Amino acid sequence: MKQLKVFFPLLLIIALLAGCSSQVAKSVDAAKAADELKSSLTFKDELSEATQAVRDRTYGISDGDIVAGKLYLSSGATAEEIAVFEAKDDAAAERLLAAAKERVEAQKTAFEDYAPAEMTKLNSAVMERNGKIIALCIADDSAAAQKKVKELIG
């Protein structure tokens, strides 16, 4: 009986720790993740870092929703783009994800007649959310982009 009194609490502690370990979010530096995407993937266009004002206007977002991150935009000749943001909370993350989806749809409308070849990239845009991290990558090789985004943000 005494062994049961010792064994049961230990078993309970182990079960609780095991349950908590699956919910630990991967620590991600959003700006570094964007830099890594830019340096590790191939892009046809030169991507330039956007200012905060351009980022907020382009995505229609509030600076208050973003803790950190980076946006790289193409020259406009292609639809290529990288956006990785860390949201201040879950509600902000949902807003940022919605903004990224709206951005892709707006780009589809813009490129549909202007540069129809870009539609392939836009239709296979990589968009992921892991906790408070949102990533969008529009590139020729969407499979490589997907793999790298998964590696970087989980």
Side-chain angles (χ1 to χ4, degrees):
M1 187 70 166
K2 190 174 182 179
Q3 289 174 334
L4 187 58
K5 286 182 182 180
V6 172
F7 179 73
F8 184 72
L10 285 175
L11 185 61
L12 183 61
I13 290 169
I14 291 170
L16 288 173
L17 289 175
C20 292
S21 69
S22 66
Q23 296 180 6
V24 174
K26 182 178 181 179
S27 177
V28 176
D29 181 321
K32 285 184 181 178
D35 292 340
E36 180 69 23
L37 285 169
K38 183 177 185 257
S39 67
S40 65
L41 298 173
T42 303
F43 296 93
K44 289 183 179 176
D45 204 350
E46 181 64 33
L47 300 182
S48 301
E49 184 178 346
T51 64
Q52 176 184 324
V54 169
R55 176 201 70 196
D56 293 354
R57 187 176 59 248
T58 301
Y59 276 74
I61 54 179
S62 166
D63 183 48
D65 280 347
I66 297 176
V67 174
K70 207 175 264 191
L71 170 63
Y72 286 106
L73 296 171
S74 72
S75 66
T78 71
E80 296 170 331
E81 190 166 313
I82 297 168
V84 184
F85 305 129
E86 179 183 353
K88 71 175 182 175
D89 56 31
D90 285 334
E94 280 301 313
R95 288 190 294 273
L96 292 173
L97 183 61
K101 289 175 182 176
E102 288 173 19
R103 171 68 176 163
V104 171
E105 290 307 311
Q107 288 293 80
K108 286 179 181 180
T109 301
F111 279 94
E112 188 173 41
D113 293 324
Y114 170 66
E118 293 299 297
M119 294 304 290
T120 302
K121 291 178 198 174
L122 289 163
N123 287 328
S124 60
V126 175
M127 199 174 323
E128 294 288 333
R129 175 182 174 201
N130 185 2
K132 293 188 247 178
I133 303 293
I134 298 0
L136 169 65
C137 186
I138 303 170
D140 271 334
D141 189 347
S142 62
Q146 180 73 48
K147 181 178 177 185
K148 194 66 178 175
V149 166
K150 287 279 190 197
E151 174 188 316
L152 291 169
I153 73 164

